[in-house]
mmCIF file with all atom_site columns, all heavy atoms in Angstrom:
data_model
loop_
_atom_site.group_PDB
_atom_site.id
_atom_site.type_symbol
_atom_site.label_atom_id
_atom_site.label_alt_id
_atom_site.label_comp_id
_atom_site.label_asym_id
_atom_site.label_entity_id
_atom_site.label_seq_id
_atom_site.pdbx_PDB_ins_code
_atom_site.Cartn_x
_atom_site.Cartn_y
_atom_site.Cartn_z
_atom_site.occupancy
_atom_site.B_iso_or_equiv
_atom_site.pdbx_formal_charge
_atom_site.auth_seq_id
_atom_site.auth_comp_id
_atom_site.auth_asym_id
_atom_site.auth_atom_id
_atom_site.pdbx_PDB_model_num
ATOM 1   N N   . LYS D 1 1  ? -65.677 -192.706 27.839 1.00 0.00 ? 1  LYS D N   1
ATOM 2   C CA  . LYS D 1 1  ? -66.151 -192.458 26.496 1.00 0.00 ? 1  LYS D CA  1
ATOM 3   C C   . LYS D 1 1  ? -67.226 -191.384 26.463 1.00 0.00 ? 1  LYS D C   1
ATOM 4   O O   . LYS D 1 1  ? -67.237 -190.471 25.549 1.00 0.00 ? 1  LYS D O   1
ATOM 5   C CB  . LYS D 1 1  ? -66.726 -193.760 25.875 1.00 0.00 ? 1  LYS D CB  1
ATOM 6   C CG  . LYS D 1 1  ? -65.674 -194.811 25.546 1.00 0.00 ? 1  LYS D CG  1
ATOM 7   C CD  . LYS D 1 1  ? -66.365 -196.024 24.979 1.00 0.00 ? 1  LYS D CD  1
ATOM 8   C CE  . LYS D 1 1  ? -65.312 -197.097 24.583 1.00 0.00 ? 1  LYS D CE  1
ATOM 9   N NZ  . LYS D 1 1  ? -66.040 -198.311 24.079 1.00 0.00 ? 1  LYS D NZ  1
ATOM 10  N N   . ARG D 1 2  ? -68.055 -191.373 27.458 1.00 0.00 ? 2  ARG D N   1
ATOM 11  C CA  . ARG D 1 2  ? -69.105 -190.376 27.549 1.00 0.00 ? 2  ARG D CA  1
ATOM 12  C C   . ARG D 1 2  ? -68.585 -188.944 27.662 1.00 0.00 ? 2  ARG D C   1
ATOM 13  O O   . ARG D 1 2  ? -68.985 -188.053 26.959 1.00 0.00 ? 2  ARG D O   1
ATOM 14  C CB  . ARG D 1 2  ? -70.013 -190.676 28.697 1.00 0.00 ? 2  ARG D CB  1
ATOM 15  C CG  . ARG D 1 2  ? -71.236 -189.664 28.848 1.00 0.00 ? 2  ARG D CG  1
ATOM 16  C CD  . ARG D 1 2  ? -72.006 -190.027 30.086 1.00 0.00 ? 2  ARG D CD  1
ATOM 17  N NE  . ARG D 1 2  ? -71.309 -189.918 31.336 1.00 0.00 ? 2  ARG D NE  1
ATOM 18  C CZ  . ARG D 1 2  ? -70.930 -188.777 31.912 1.00 0.00 ? 2  ARG D CZ  1
ATOM 19  N NH1 . ARG D 1 2  ? -71.377 -187.660 31.436 1.00 0.00 ? 2  ARG D NH1 1
ATOM 20  N NH2 . ARG D 1 2  ? -70.292 -188.809 33.083 1.00 0.00 ? 2  ARG D NH2 1
ATOM 21  N N   . VAL D 1 3  ? -67.533 -188.837 28.429 1.00 0.00 ? 3  VAL D N   1
ATOM 22  C CA  . VAL D 1 3  ? -66.894 -187.510 28.615 1.00 0.00 ? 3  VAL D CA  1
ATOM 23  C C   . VAL D 1 3  ? -66.203 -187.095 27.338 1.00 0.00 ? 3  VAL D C   1
ATOM 24  O O   . VAL D 1 3  ? -66.360 -185.908 26.886 1.00 0.00 ? 3  VAL D O   1
ATOM 25  C CB  . VAL D 1 3  ? -65.876 -187.501 29.787 1.00 0.00 ? 3  VAL D CB  1
ATOM 26  C CG1 . VAL D 1 3  ? -65.098 -186.229 29.910 1.00 0.00 ? 3  VAL D CG1 1
ATOM 27  C CG2 . VAL D 1 3  ? -66.616 -187.766 31.108 1.00 0.00 ? 3  VAL D CG2 1
ATOM 28  N N   . PHE D 1 4  ? -65.359 -187.922 26.751 1.00 0.00 ? 4  PHE D N   1
ATOM 29  C CA  . PHE D 1 4  ? -64.573 -187.552 25.545 1.00 0.00 ? 4  PHE D CA  1
ATOM 30  C C   . PHE D 1 4  ? -65.573 -187.349 24.378 1.00 0.00 ? 4  PHE D C   1
ATOM 31  O O   . PHE D 1 4  ? -65.269 -186.497 23.510 1.00 0.00 ? 4  PHE D O   1
ATOM 32  C CB  . PHE D 1 4  ? -63.581 -188.619 25.261 1.00 0.00 ? 4  PHE D CB  1
ATOM 33  C CG  . PHE D 1 4  ? -62.338 -188.599 26.245 1.00 0.00 ? 4  PHE D CG  1
ATOM 34  C CD1 . PHE D 1 4  ? -61.927 -189.717 26.851 1.00 0.00 ? 4  PHE D CD1 1
ATOM 35  C CD2 . PHE D 1 4  ? -61.681 -187.406 26.509 1.00 0.00 ? 4  PHE D CD2 1
ATOM 36  C CE1 . PHE D 1 4  ? -60.945 -189.644 27.714 1.00 0.00 ? 4  PHE D CE1 1
ATOM 37  C CE2 . PHE D 1 4  ? -60.649 -187.377 27.341 1.00 0.00 ? 4  PHE D CE2 1
ATOM 38  C CZ  . PHE D 1 4  ? -60.236 -188.476 27.974 1.00 0.00 ? 4  PHE D CZ  1
ATOM 39  N N   . SER D 1 5  ? -66.674 -188.078 24.301 1.00 0.00 ? 5  SER D N   1
ATOM 40  C CA  . SER D 1 5  ? -67.622 -187.905 23.235 1.00 0.00 ? 5  SER D CA  1
ATOM 41  C C   . SER D 1 5  ? -68.244 -186.500 23.362 1.00 0.00 ? 5  SER D C   1
ATOM 42  O O   . SER D 1 5  ? -68.501 -185.829 22.308 1.00 0.00 ? 5  SER D O   1
ATOM 43  C CB  . SER D 1 5  ? -68.740 -189.025 23.253 1.00 0.00 ? 5  SER D CB  1
ATOM 44  O OG  . SER D 1 5  ? -68.116 -190.217 23.042 1.00 0.00 ? 5  SER D OG  1
ATOM 45  N N   . ALA D 1 6  ? -68.583 -186.105 24.590 1.00 0.00 ? 6  ALA D N   1
ATOM 46  C CA  . ALA D 1 6  ? -69.176 -184.802 24.748 1.00 0.00 ? 6  ALA D CA  1
ATOM 47  C C   . ALA D 1 6  ? -68.155 -183.673 24.336 1.00 0.00 ? 6  ALA D C   1
ATOM 48  O O   . ALA D 1 6  ? -68.567 -182.623 23.684 1.00 0.00 ? 6  ALA D O   1
ATOM 49  C CB  . ALA D 1 6  ? -69.509 -184.566 26.204 1.00 0.00 ? 6  ALA D CB  1
ATOM 50  N N   . LEU D 1 7  ? -66.920 -183.837 24.668 1.00 0.00 ? 7  LEU D N   1
ATOM 51  C CA  . LEU D 1 7  ? -65.869 -182.886 24.187 1.00 0.00 ? 7  LEU D CA  1
ATOM 52  C C   . LEU D 1 7  ? -65.798 -182.856 22.672 1.00 0.00 ? 7  LEU D C   1
ATOM 53  O O   . LEU D 1 7  ? -65.657 -181.819 21.976 1.00 0.00 ? 7  LEU D O   1
ATOM 54  C CB  . LEU D 1 7  ? -64.513 -183.257 24.815 1.00 0.00 ? 7  LEU D CB  1
ATOM 55  C CG  . LEU D 1 7  ? -64.345 -182.966 26.335 1.00 0.00 ? 7  LEU D CG  1
ATOM 56  C CD1 . LEU D 1 7  ? -63.076 -183.628 26.843 1.00 0.00 ? 7  LEU D CD1 1
ATOM 57  C CD2 . LEU D 1 7  ? -64.349 -181.455 26.563 1.00 0.00 ? 7  LEU D CD2 1
ATOM 58  N N   . ALA D 1 8  ? -65.827 -184.080 22.032 1.00 0.00 ? 8  ALA D N   1
ATOM 59  C CA  . ALA D 1 8  ? -65.681 -184.115 20.622 1.00 0.00 ? 8  ALA D CA  1
ATOM 60  C C   . ALA D 1 8  ? -66.911 -183.447 19.952 1.00 0.00 ? 8  ALA D C   1
ATOM 61  O O   . ALA D 1 8  ? -66.810 -182.889 18.888 1.00 0.00 ? 8  ALA D O   1
ATOM 62  C CB  . ALA D 1 8  ? -65.580 -185.586 20.165 1.00 0.00 ? 8  ALA D CB  1
ATOM 63  N N   . ALA D 1 9  ? -68.110 -183.593 20.590 1.00 0.00 ? 9  ALA D N   1
ATOM 64  C CA  . ALA D 1 9  ? -69.301 -183.061 20.012 1.00 0.00 ? 9  ALA D CA  1
ATOM 65  C C   . ALA D 1 9  ? -69.280 -181.489 19.908 1.00 0.00 ? 9  ALA D C   1
ATOM 66  O O   . ALA D 1 9  ? -69.934 -180.947 19.051 1.00 0.00 ? 9  ALA D O   1
ATOM 67  C CB  . ALA D 1 9  ? -70.498 -183.472 20.792 1.00 0.00 ? 9  ALA D CB  1
ATOM 68  N N   . ILE D 1 10 ? -68.459 -180.861 20.741 1.00 0.00 ? 10 ILE D N   1
ATOM 69  C CA  . ILE D 1 10 ? -68.466 -179.426 20.703 1.00 0.00 ? 10 ILE D CA  1
ATOM 70  C C   . ILE D 1 10 ? -67.170 -178.954 20.020 1.00 0.00 ? 10 ILE D C   1
ATOM 71  O O   . ILE D 1 10 ? -66.798 -177.791 20.027 1.00 0.00 ? 10 ILE D O   1
ATOM 72  C CB  . ILE D 1 10 ? -68.522 -178.852 22.139 1.00 0.00 ? 10 ILE D CB  1
ATOM 73  C CG1 . ILE D 1 10 ? -67.354 -179.309 23.015 1.00 0.00 ? 10 ILE D CG1 1
ATOM 74  C CG2 . ILE D 1 10 ? -69.832 -179.141 22.794 1.00 0.00 ? 10 ILE D CG2 1
ATOM 75  C CD1 . ILE D 1 10 ? -67.300 -178.603 24.309 1.00 0.00 ? 10 ILE D CD1 1
ATOM 76  N N   . GLY D 1 11 ? -66.457 -179.860 19.379 1.00 0.00 ? 11 GLY D N   1
ATOM 77  C CA  . GLY D 1 11 ? -65.280 -179.513 18.596 1.00 0.00 ? 11 GLY D CA  1
ATOM 78  C C   . GLY D 1 11 ? -63.999 -179.397 19.424 1.00 0.00 ? 11 GLY D C   1
ATOM 79  O O   . GLY D 1 11 ? -63.035 -178.895 18.839 1.00 0.00 ? 11 GLY D O   1
ATOM 80  N N   . ASN D 1 12 ? -63.952 -179.806 20.658 1.00 0.00 ? 12 ASN D N   1
ATOM 81  C CA  . ASN D 1 12 ? -62.695 -179.743 21.397 1.00 0.00 ? 12 ASN D CA  1
ATOM 82  C C   . ASN D 1 12 ? -61.772 -180.861 21.003 1.00 0.00 ? 12 ASN D C   1
ATOM 83  O O   . ASN D 1 12 ? -62.217 -181.979 20.995 1.00 0.00 ? 12 ASN D O   1
ATOM 84  C CB  . ASN D 1 12 ? -63.034 -179.825 22.911 1.00 0.00 ? 12 ASN D CB  1
ATOM 85  C CG  . ASN D 1 12 ? -61.798 -179.548 23.762 1.00 0.00 ? 12 ASN D CG  1
ATOM 86  O OD1 . ASN D 1 12 ? -60.836 -180.317 23.757 1.00 0.00 ? 12 ASN D OD1 1
ATOM 87  N ND2 . ASN D 1 12 ? -61.887 -178.436 24.509 1.00 0.00 ? 12 ASN D ND2 1
ATOM 88  N N   . PRO D 1 13 ? -60.565 -180.568 20.636 1.00 0.00 ? 13 PRO D N   1
ATOM 89  C CA  . PRO D 1 13 ? -59.594 -181.606 20.086 1.00 0.00 ? 13 PRO D CA  1
ATOM 90  C C   . PRO D 1 13 ? -59.339 -182.752 21.135 1.00 0.00 ? 13 PRO D C   1
ATOM 91  O O   . PRO D 1 13 ? -58.931 -183.758 20.784 1.00 0.00 ? 13 PRO D O   1
ATOM 92  C CB  . PRO D 1 13 ? -58.362 -180.849 19.746 1.00 0.00 ? 13 PRO D CB  1
ATOM 93  C CG  . PRO D 1 13 ? -58.473 -179.556 20.487 1.00 0.00 ? 13 PRO D CG  1
ATOM 94  C CD  . PRO D 1 13 ? -59.868 -179.227 20.652 1.00 0.00 ? 13 PRO D CD  1
ATOM 95  N N   . GLU D 1 14 ? -59.519 -182.364 22.444 1.00 0.00 ? 14 GLU D N   1
ATOM 96  C CA  . GLU D 1 14 ? -59.246 -183.417 23.448 1.00 0.00 ? 14 GLU D CA  1
ATOM 97  C C   . GLU D 1 14 ? -60.157 -184.555 23.390 1.00 0.00 ? 14 GLU D C   1
ATOM 98  O O   . GLU D 1 14 ? -59.864 -185.692 23.818 1.00 0.00 ? 14 GLU D O   1
ATOM 99  C CB  . GLU D 1 14 ? -59.266 -182.742 24.822 1.00 0.00 ? 14 GLU D CB  1
ATOM 100 C CG  . GLU D 1 14 ? -58.221 -181.793 25.144 1.00 0.00 ? 14 GLU D CG  1
ATOM 101 C CD  . GLU D 1 14 ? -56.783 -182.348 25.052 1.00 0.00 ? 14 GLU D CD  1
ATOM 102 O OE1 . GLU D 1 14 ? -56.664 -183.586 25.392 1.00 0.00 ? 14 GLU D OE1 1
ATOM 103 O OE2 . GLU D 1 14 ? -55.870 -181.654 24.671 1.00 0.00 ? 14 GLU D OE2 1
ATOM 104 N N   . GLY D 1 15 ? -61.373 -184.311 22.844 1.00 0.00 ? 15 GLY D N   1
ATOM 105 C CA  . GLY D 1 15 ? -62.349 -185.386 22.679 1.00 0.00 ? 15 GLY D CA  1
ATOM 106 C C   . GLY D 1 15 ? -61.836 -186.489 21.775 1.00 0.00 ? 15 GLY D C   1
ATOM 107 O O   . GLY D 1 15 ? -61.758 -187.701 22.173 1.00 0.00 ? 15 GLY D O   1
ATOM 108 N N   . PRO D 1 16 ? -61.529 -186.201 20.493 1.00 0.00 ? 16 PRO D N   1
ATOM 109 C CA  . PRO D 1 16 ? -61.047 -187.257 19.592 1.00 0.00 ? 16 PRO D CA  1
ATOM 110 C C   . PRO D 1 16 ? -59.777 -187.934 20.154 1.00 0.00 ? 16 PRO D C   1
ATOM 111 O O   . PRO D 1 16 ? -59.582 -189.142 19.954 1.00 0.00 ? 16 PRO D O   1
ATOM 112 C CB  . PRO D 1 16 ? -60.800 -186.557 18.294 1.00 0.00 ? 16 PRO D CB  1
ATOM 113 C CG  . PRO D 1 16 ? -61.718 -185.337 18.320 1.00 0.00 ? 16 PRO D CG  1
ATOM 114 C CD  . PRO D 1 16 ? -61.754 -184.959 19.739 1.00 0.00 ? 16 PRO D CD  1
ATOM 115 N N   . ARG D 1 17 ? -58.959 -187.140 20.772 1.00 0.00 ? 17 ARG D N   1
ATOM 116 C CA  . ARG D 1 17 ? -57.663 -187.758 21.280 1.00 0.00 ? 17 ARG D CA  1
ATOM 117 C C   . ARG D 1 17 ? -58.002 -188.725 22.340 1.00 0.00 ? 17 ARG D C   1
ATOM 118 O O   . ARG D 1 17 ? -57.427 -189.788 22.428 1.00 0.00 ? 17 ARG D O   1
ATOM 119 C CB  . ARG D 1 17 ? -56.756 -186.639 21.869 1.00 0.00 ? 17 ARG D CB  1
ATOM 120 C CG  . ARG D 1 17 ? -56.135 -185.701 20.887 1.00 0.00 ? 17 ARG D CG  1
ATOM 121 C CD  . ARG D 1 17 ? -55.386 -184.630 21.578 1.00 0.00 ? 17 ARG D CD  1
ATOM 122 N NE  . ARG D 1 17 ? -54.895 -183.645 20.558 1.00 0.00 ? 17 ARG D NE  1
ATOM 123 C CZ  . ARG D 1 17 ? -54.415 -182.448 20.954 1.00 0.00 ? 17 ARG D CZ  1
ATOM 124 N NH1 . ARG D 1 17 ? -54.452 -182.015 22.159 1.00 0.00 ? 17 ARG D NH1 1
ATOM 125 N NH2 . ARG D 1 17 ? -54.004 -181.632 20.004 1.00 0.00 ? 17 ARG D NH2 1
ATOM 126 N N   . GLY D 1 18 ? -58.923 -188.358 23.246 1.00 0.00 ? 18 GLY D N   1
ATOM 127 C CA  . GLY D 1 18 ? -59.274 -189.297 24.303 1.00 0.00 ? 18 GLY D CA  1
ATOM 128 C C   . GLY D 1 18 ? -59.909 -190.516 23.805 1.00 0.00 ? 18 GLY D C   1
ATOM 129 O O   . GLY D 1 18 ? -59.607 -191.639 24.248 1.00 0.00 ? 18 GLY D O   1
ATOM 130 N N   . LEU D 1 19 ? -60.840 -190.405 22.843 1.00 0.00 ? 19 LEU D N   1
ATOM 131 C CA  . LEU D 1 19 ? -61.445 -191.581 22.187 1.00 0.00 ? 19 LEU D CA  1
ATOM 132 C C   . LEU D 1 19 ? -60.434 -192.522 21.473 1.00 0.00 ? 19 LEU D C   1
ATOM 133 O O   . LEU D 1 19 ? -60.531 -193.692 21.582 1.00 0.00 ? 19 LEU D O   1
ATOM 134 C CB  . LEU D 1 19 ? -62.551 -191.106 21.249 1.00 0.00 ? 19 LEU D CB  1
ATOM 135 C CG  . LEU D 1 19 ? -63.743 -190.418 21.924 1.00 0.00 ? 19 LEU D CG  1
ATOM 136 C CD1 . LEU D 1 19 ? -64.722 -189.773 20.870 1.00 0.00 ? 19 LEU D CD1 1
ATOM 137 C CD2 . LEU D 1 19 ? -64.516 -191.372 22.787 1.00 0.00 ? 19 LEU D CD2 1
ATOM 138 N N   . ASN D 1 20 ? -59.525 -191.839 20.741 1.00 0.00 ? 20 ASN D N   1
ATOM 139 C CA  . ASN D 1 20 ? -58.519 -192.637 20.080 1.00 0.00 ? 20 ASN D CA  1
ATOM 140 C C   . ASN D 1 20 ? -57.690 -193.379 21.117 1.00 0.00 ? 20 ASN D C   1
ATOM 141 O O   . ASN D 1 20 ? -57.239 -194.562 20.854 1.00 0.00 ? 20 ASN D O   1
ATOM 142 C CB  . ASN D 1 20 ? -57.617 -191.751 19.249 1.00 0.00 ? 20 ASN D CB  1
ATOM 143 C CG  . ASN D 1 20 ? -58.387 -191.251 18.008 1.00 0.00 ? 20 ASN D CG  1
ATOM 144 O OD1 . ASN D 1 20 ? -59.338 -191.859 17.572 1.00 0.00 ? 20 ASN D OD1 1
ATOM 145 N ND2 . ASN D 1 20 ? -57.888 -190.122 17.551 1.00 0.00 ? 20 ASN D ND2 1
ATOM 146 N N   . MET D 1 21 ? -57.316 -192.710 22.236 1.00 0.00 ? 21 MET D N   1
ATOM 147 C CA  . MET D 1 21 ? -56.478 -193.370 23.225 1.00 0.00 ? 21 MET D CA  1
ATOM 148 C C   . MET D 1 21 ? -57.229 -194.566 23.842 1.00 0.00 ? 21 MET D C   1
ATOM 149 O O   . MET D 1 21 ? -56.573 -195.599 24.002 1.00 0.00 ? 21 MET D O   1
ATOM 150 C CB  . MET D 1 21 ? -56.245 -192.330 24.326 1.00 0.00 ? 21 MET D CB  1
ATOM 151 C CG  . MET D 1 21 ? -55.446 -192.943 25.572 1.00 0.00 ? 21 MET D CG  1
ATOM 152 S SD  . MET D 1 21 ? -55.241 -191.749 26.966 1.00 0.00 ? 21 MET D SD  1
ATOM 153 C CE  . MET D 1 21 ? -57.008 -191.634 27.454 1.00 0.00 ? 21 MET D CE  1
ATOM 154 N N   . ILE D 1 22 ? -58.555 -194.435 24.047 1.00 0.00 ? 22 ILE D N   1
ATOM 155 C CA  . ILE D 1 22 ? -59.322 -195.592 24.609 1.00 0.00 ? 22 ILE D CA  1
ATOM 156 C C   . ILE D 1 22 ? -59.293 -196.700 23.595 1.00 0.00 ? 22 ILE D C   1
ATOM 157 O O   . ILE D 1 22 ? -59.081 -197.932 23.920 1.00 0.00 ? 22 ILE D O   1
ATOM 158 C CB  . ILE D 1 22 ? -60.741 -195.144 24.932 1.00 0.00 ? 22 ILE D CB  1
ATOM 159 C CG1 . ILE D 1 22 ? -60.710 -194.126 26.101 1.00 0.00 ? 22 ILE D CG1 1
ATOM 160 C CG2 . ILE D 1 22 ? -61.596 -196.336 25.345 1.00 0.00 ? 22 ILE D CG2 1
ATOM 161 C CD1 . ILE D 1 22 ? -62.012 -193.525 26.416 1.00 0.00 ? 22 ILE D CD1 1
ATOM 162 N N   . ARG D 1 23 ? -59.497 -196.322 22.341 1.00 0.00 ? 23 ARG D N   1
ATOM 163 C CA  . ARG D 1 23 ? -59.559 -197.404 21.304 1.00 0.00 ? 23 ARG D CA  1
ATOM 164 C C   . ARG D 1 23 ? -58.197 -198.110 21.153 1.00 0.00 ? 23 ARG D C   1
ATOM 165 O O   . ARG D 1 23 ? -58.097 -199.383 20.980 1.00 0.00 ? 23 ARG D O   1
ATOM 166 C CB  . ARG D 1 23 ? -59.995 -196.781 19.945 1.00 0.00 ? 23 ARG D CB  1
ATOM 167 C CG  . ARG D 1 23 ? -60.130 -197.822 18.864 1.00 0.00 ? 23 ARG D CG  1
ATOM 168 C CD  . ARG D 1 23 ? -60.709 -197.264 17.519 1.00 0.00 ? 23 ARG D CD  1
ATOM 169 N NE  . ARG D 1 23 ? -60.006 -196.038 17.064 1.00 0.00 ? 23 ARG D NE  1
ATOM 170 C CZ  . ARG D 1 23 ? -60.418 -194.808 17.274 1.00 0.00 ? 23 ARG D CZ  1
ATOM 171 N NH1 . ARG D 1 23 ? -61.542 -194.563 17.865 1.00 0.00 ? 23 ARG D NH1 1
ATOM 172 N NH2 . ARG D 1 23 ? -59.695 -193.801 16.796 1.00 0.00 ? 23 ARG D NH2 1
ATOM 173 N N   . ASP D 1 24 ? -57.119 -197.321 21.220 1.00 0.00 ? 24 ASP D N   1
ATOM 174 C CA  . ASP D 1 24 ? -55.787 -197.884 21.069 1.00 0.00 ? 24 ASP D CA  1
ATOM 175 C C   . ASP D 1 24 ? -55.386 -198.807 22.195 1.00 0.00 ? 24 ASP D C   1
ATOM 176 O O   . ASP D 1 24 ? -54.735 -199.840 22.025 1.00 0.00 ? 24 ASP D O   1
ATOM 177 C CB  . ASP D 1 24 ? -54.693 -196.795 20.897 1.00 0.00 ? 24 ASP D CB  1
ATOM 178 C CG  . ASP D 1 24 ? -54.853 -195.996 19.620 1.00 0.00 ? 24 ASP D CG  1
ATOM 179 O OD1 . ASP D 1 24 ? -55.493 -196.549 18.652 1.00 0.00 ? 24 ASP D OD1 1
ATOM 180 O OD2 . ASP D 1 24 ? -54.301 -194.935 19.552 1.00 0.00 ? 24 ASP D OD2 1
ATOM 181 N N   . GLN D 1 25 ? -55.774 -198.381 23.375 1.00 0.00 ? 25 GLN D N   1
ATOM 182 C CA  . GLN D 1 25 ? -55.457 -199.173 24.531 1.00 0.00 ? 25 GLN D CA  1
ATOM 183 C C   . GLN D 1 25 ? -56.367 -200.276 24.951 1.00 0.00 ? 25 GLN D C   1
ATOM 184 O O   . GLN D 1 25 ? -55.944 -201.267 25.575 1.00 0.00 ? 25 GLN D O   1
ATOM 185 C CB  . GLN D 1 25 ? -55.331 -198.176 25.790 1.00 0.00 ? 25 GLN D CB  1
ATOM 186 C CG  . GLN D 1 25 ? -54.194 -197.191 25.672 1.00 0.00 ? 25 GLN D CG  1
ATOM 187 C CD  . GLN D 1 25 ? -54.123 -196.248 26.871 1.00 0.00 ? 25 GLN D CD  1
ATOM 188 O OE1 . GLN D 1 25 ? -54.786 -196.496 27.858 1.00 0.00 ? 25 GLN D OE1 1
ATOM 189 N NE2 . GLN D 1 25 ? -53.238 -195.264 26.726 1.00 0.00 ? 25 GLN D NE2 1
ATOM 190 N N   . HIS D 1 26 ? -57.626 -200.112 24.604 1.00 0.00 ? 26 HIS D N   1
ATOM 191 C CA  . HIS D 1 26 ? -58.675 -201.123 25.110 1.00 0.00 ? 26 HIS D CA  1
ATOM 192 C C   . HIS D 1 26 ? -59.482 -201.704 23.942 1.00 0.00 ? 26 HIS D C   1
ATOM 193 O O   . HIS D 1 26 ? -60.353 -202.498 24.225 1.00 0.00 ? 26 HIS D O   1
ATOM 194 C CB  . HIS D 1 26 ? -59.519 -200.454 26.106 1.00 0.00 ? 26 HIS D CB  1
ATOM 195 C CG  . HIS D 1 26 ? -58.800 -199.919 27.276 1.00 0.00 ? 26 HIS D CG  1
ATOM 196 N ND1 . HIS D 1 26 ? -58.347 -200.656 28.336 1.00 0.00 ? 26 HIS D ND1 1
ATOM 197 C CD2 . HIS D 1 26 ? -58.388 -198.658 27.600 1.00 0.00 ? 26 HIS D CD2 1
ATOM 198 C CE1 . HIS D 1 26 ? -57.685 -199.943 29.292 1.00 0.00 ? 26 HIS D CE1 1
ATOM 199 N NE2 . HIS D 1 26 ? -57.701 -198.656 28.770 1.00 0.00 ? 26 HIS D NE2 1
ATOM 200 N N   . GLY D 1 27 ? -59.260 -201.280 22.731 1.00 0.00 ? 27 GLY D N   1
ATOM 201 C CA  . GLY D 1 27 ? -59.980 -201.837 21.637 1.00 0.00 ? 27 GLY D CA  1
ATOM 202 C C   . GLY D 1 27 ? -61.408 -201.350 21.520 1.00 0.00 ? 27 GLY D C   1
ATOM 203 O O   . GLY D 1 27 ? -61.835 -200.488 22.220 1.00 0.00 ? 27 GLY D O   1
#
């Protein structure tokens, strides 16, 4: 989450995708 949040903070689309993936798979 820390890594994907950092990516999302700078506008990289991989950040939100990673966070969504974690939420979908692990709640």
Side-chain angles (χ1 to χ4, degrees):
K1 287 179 181 179
R2 181 181 59 80
V3 172
F4 288 127
S5 294
L7 288 169
I10 61 174
N12 189 293
E14 293 298 330
R17 289 175 186 165
L19 292 171
N20 290 335
M21 177 186 66
I22 294 173
R23 183 172 55 255
D24 292 342
Q25 294 180 7
H26 301 280

